[in-house]
Amino acid sequence: MQRAAMPRKVTENKIEITWDSQPLPNDPSPGYFVVLHFAELRLLRGTALRQFYVRFNGELLYPEAYTPGYLISGALYNTAPVRSSEFIVSIEATPASTRPPLLNAMEIFTVMSTTKADIP
């Protein structure tokens, strides 16, 4: 949580991460959970504001614009597995934001079946 990814260009107000589903022998369309970690690493002064929306495959992970706390770790995550062939995590600055979005860490978990198909 001591570092953060931000858009490469100052004029870009979006971070986008994509990946394709990896079919499993017993589950051709596995479900995924994503956990995104945020912490503001700079003390923003005056009217400076870092605020963004976070979407996972187009659905908001949080119903409001998210503002990370200064040196306080926060996380957003989906509560049900998402099944798709392609996944897109999008972090986009709000119109009110004066700073680009950031991402400190990201975890991706896949749902794995613990039942054996060959047991009668």
Side-chain angles (χ1 to χ4, degrees):
M1 296 300 293
Q2 296 177 0
R3 300 192 189 278
M6 290 188 234
R8 288 185 179 184
K9 296 179 182 176
V10 177
T11 57
E12 291 180 6
N13 287 323
K14 187 176 190 178
I15 298 171
E16 195 168 87
I17 301 165
T18 64
W19 74 94
D20 294 326
S21 178
Q22 296 296 314
L24 302 173
N26 293 339
D27 192 356
S29 179
Y32 288 88
F33 288 93
V34 64
V35 182
L36 305 168
H37 299 273
F38 305 99
E40 180 59 65
L41 301 177
R42 296 183 181 146
L43 183 58
L44 301 181
R45 302 200 185 271
T47 60
L49 175 66
R50 189 181 318 272
Q51 186 180 65
F52 45 83
Y53 293 107
V54 180
R55 289 183 171 81
F56 184 29
N57 278 12
E59 298 293 323
L60 286 172
L61 281 182
Y62 190 66
E64 302 169 10
Y66 186 80
T67 301
Y70 175 61
L71 299 181
I72 298 172
S73 179
L76 298 179
Y77 51 89
N78 56 311
T79 57
V82 174
R83 296 178 186 277
S84 180
S85 59
E86 181 181 69
F87 296 89
I88 302 170
V89 172
S90 176
I91 306 166
E92 187 170 353
T94 67
S97 186
T98 61
R99 298 287 188 258
L102 60 72
L103 174 64
N104 300 85
M106 179 174 167
E107 298 175 278
I108 302 170
F109 299 94
T110 184
V111 177
M112 297 179 71
S113 175
T114 58
T115 61
K116 293 202 177 232
D118 57 352
I119 296 177

